[in-house]
Amino acid sequence: MSNPTKKIIVTGGAGFIGSHVVRRLVTTYPHYEIINLDKLTYAGNLANLKDIETESNYRFVKGDITDAAFITELFTTEKPDAVIHLAAESHVDRSISSPNEFVITNVVGTVNLLNAARGQWQGAYDKHRFYHVSTDEVYGALGDTGMFTEETRYDPHSPYSASKASSDHFVRAYHDTYGLDIVISNCSNNYGSHHFPEKLIPLAINNIRNNRPVPVYGKGENVRDWLWVEDHARAIDVIFHRAASGETYNIGGHNEWTNIDLIQLLCRILDRKLGRAEGESAKLITFVKDRAGHDLRYAIDASKLQRDLGWEPSLQFEEGLEKTVDWYLANEDWLNDVTSGHYQQYYEEQYTKR
Ligand code: NAD
Ligand code: TYD
């Protein structure tokens, strides 16, 4: 990885986290060439990158990681120095209704990329890097205490987390078997701008602003550890450049919230910002049938990343949530665009049967 002018393929760069990673790399490293490889599924949106799309060190390539021939051809023609792999099917509820798509995209798609990287980089693995972006959900669920460390045994429960766990195993296998330079990070739940409103925080903001019921699964007692997406992008930058080959890092926010406390906080913020009476938005909270196999609690021990590479979260949650709400309220066109069309059908299927 000594080449100072790198050509990096970022997969899934039109999605939520990927767009923040692409923006960070394009603006921080003007001497790098960043290729955003994305299929543009329902979750991929080039409007997420409008502010940097004309930068000379940025390029978009539309393509599908499940198409092995296309991926091999792309690596042969582009000869990338490195890959930062984020493309995935990422929503647990969708994985419960359509598990096969998660196997094909998350497992087969990842193996296609590994094969292409292996073929292209053979004999020079020390000059290249395959960075696989994964999730804390591979570790399963915690009880009331404890945290996930890098040594926690994999124990995925949803088709989504099982597919991500499988892809992590393949990435490690290519390191152990072929000597490919890989790094993996497992991050907790992200929040921030450009987040597709099927996930809890943007869905709740969108529903509250539209005076629609805010669905809370079960009793709302499940706990998630929330991290600002730009802090995740910064962690990926640091790990990509400085981690030793074969390393794994957990990334988390030291920021655990039950879903119900988080929704109530969001309701208070939106009451204030929308000029509503205190308590008005909270009336929209609606308890609905719990998610099947719902993991009780996630919490990340990110001390290895802090110790080895000096990374820690930069934003307090309340501040990050304020910024996030401000972004969605200032970008109602973005929200209206992504929630038209197929979103309506998804929403009906997901929530009317609960
Ligand atoms: P996202 O759903 O917002 O974006 C996924 C992107 O991948 C989209 O742009 C989509 O078009 C693209 N994509 C999907 N299938 C593709 C294919 N076959 N070929 C090419 N592109 C394809 O997801 P996200 O929330 O930004 O997550 C990005 C990555 O980070 C995922 O690997 C996810 O598992 C991981 N992760 C997410 C979180 C989180 O809180 N969102 C936390 C930890 C890890
Ligand atoms: P989500 O944003 O889907 O992320 P993940 O399942 O990957 O953690 O969900 C976060 C939490 O919020 C999870 O415990 C499920 C819950 N949830 C709801 O209560 N209502 C909803 O409408 C959604 C989408 C999620």
Side-chain angles (χ1 to χ4, degrees):
M1 290 298 296
S2 53
N3 181 5
T5 59
K6 293 185 215 311
K7 186 191 271 195
I8 306 173
I9 294 182
V10 179
T11 72
F16 166 48
I17 301 170
S19 63
H20 287 277
V21 170
V22 166
R23 179 175 300 99
R24 182 177 178 91
L25 294 174
V26 165
T27 54
T28 314
Y29 305 100
H31 52 296
Y32 287 6
E33 189 179 340
I34 307 300
I35 299 176
N36 171 13
L37 168 64
D38 201 295
K39 181 183 173 185
L40 300 183
T41 67
Y42 76 92
N45 187 351
L46 288 178
N48 294 354
L49 290 164
K50 259 211 141 5
D51 53 329
I52 58 109
E53 69 186 1
T54 56
E55 295 298 329
S56 58
N57 63 339
Y58 169 75
R59 228 168 355 118
F60 171 67
V61 173
K62 188 170 189 306
D64 186 342
I65 59 167
T66 71
D67 181 344
F70 164 77
I71 293 298
T72 304
E73 173 70 21
L74 182 72
F75 274 64
T76 309
T77 47
E78 293 293 352
K79 301 185 177 40
D81 296 297
V83 172
I84 303 182
H85 174 38
L86 297 105
E89 289 293 337
S90 68
H91 189 37
V92 173
D93 292 323
R94 288 184 191 255
S95 82
I96 294 168
S97 46
S98 315
N100 286 30
E101 282 177 37
F102 284 68
V103 177
I104 293 165
T105 300
N106 298 358
V107 186
V108 178
T110 300
V111 174
N112 287 341
L113 289 165
L114 288 166
N115 286 336
R118 194 185 147 217
Q120 184 62 33
W121 299 342
Q122 208 136 35
Y125 287 159
D126 57 328
K127 296 190 174 56
H128 300 90
R129 170 150 283 185
F130 191 102
Y131 186 144
H132 180 60
V133 176
S134 193
T135 166
D136 62 352
E137 303 193 25
V138 299
Y139 298 124
L142 293 162
D144 292 335
T145 58
M147 286 180 150
F148 298 133
T149 71
E150 289 80 1
E151 271 71 51
T152 302
R153 190 173 68 89
Y154 275 33
D155 184 22
H157 297 140
S158 73
Y160 163 66
S161 53
S163 69
K164 291 296 291 187
S166 174
S167 64
D168 291 11
H169 290 320
F170 271 102
V171 174
R172 285 199 187 92
Y174 274 59
H175 177 69
D176 295 344
T177 307
Y178 307 113
L180 203 66
D181 179 312
I182 64 102
V183 283
I184 299 179
S185 55
N186 298 85
C187 188
S188 62
N189 289 62
N190 285 212
Y191 71 96
S193 70
H194 305 93
H195 201 181
F196 192 78
E198 65 184 354
K199 306 277 172 67
L200 180 66
I201 290 181
L203 185 145
I205 294 172
N206 189 38
N207 284 17
I208 294 168
R209 88 179 168 115
N210 287 318
N211 263 311
R212 295 181 63 172
V214 179
V216 176
Y217 297 168
K219 294 183 180 154
E221 287 167 350
N222 302 68
V223 174
R224 296 293 181 262
D225 175 357
W226 294 95
L227 177 70
W228 191 42
V229 63
E230 293 187 31
D231 280 335
H232 188 189
R234 182 168 49 86
I236 289 172
D237 179 350
V238 169
I239 293 167
F240 174 74
H241 286 99
R242 295 179 40 211
S245 177
E247 274 291 359
T248 294
Y249 284 99
N250 281 354
I251 310 171
H254 308 299
N255 180 42
E256 293 180 48
W257 286 76
T258 62
N259 292 336
I260 189 65
D261 285 349
L262 164 55
I263 295 298
Q264 274 163 349
L265 172 60
L266 262 183
C267 287
R268 288 195 295 278
I269 293 175
L270 276 147
D271 277 345
R272 185 160 36 80
K273 296 203 184 275
L274 295 173
R276 292 180 184 170
E278 206 181 310
E280 198 56 31
S281 299
K283 290 181 190 153
L284 299 167
I285 293 174
T286 309
F287 292 95
V288 299
K289 188 164 165 263
D290 208 353
R291 173 186 280 170
H294 197 171
D295 286 337
L296 176 65
R297 176 172 162 259
Y298 303 144
I300 279 275
D301 176 349
S303 56
K304 179 180 169 188
L305 181 55
Q306 182 177 6
R307 211 174 39 246
D308 287 3
L309 304 178
W311 176 92
E312 43 184 44
S314 72
L315 266 194
Q316 286 296 315
F317 190 49
E318 284 80 353
E319 188 190 346
L321 215 49
E322 292 262 350
K323 275 165 103 89
T324 301
V325 169
D326 286 342
W327 187 86
Y328 288 98
L329 294 182
N331 289 276
E332 294 197 319
D333 288 350
W334 183 93
L335 260 182
N336 292 336
D337 279 356
V338 299
T339 52
S340 61
H342 288 305
Y343 178 86
Q344 306 285 352
Q345 192 192 338
Y346 162 79
Y347 199 88
E348 290 304 313
E349 282 169 13
Q350 190 59 36
Y351 290 101
T352 49
K353 67 183 181 212
R354 278 183 184 273

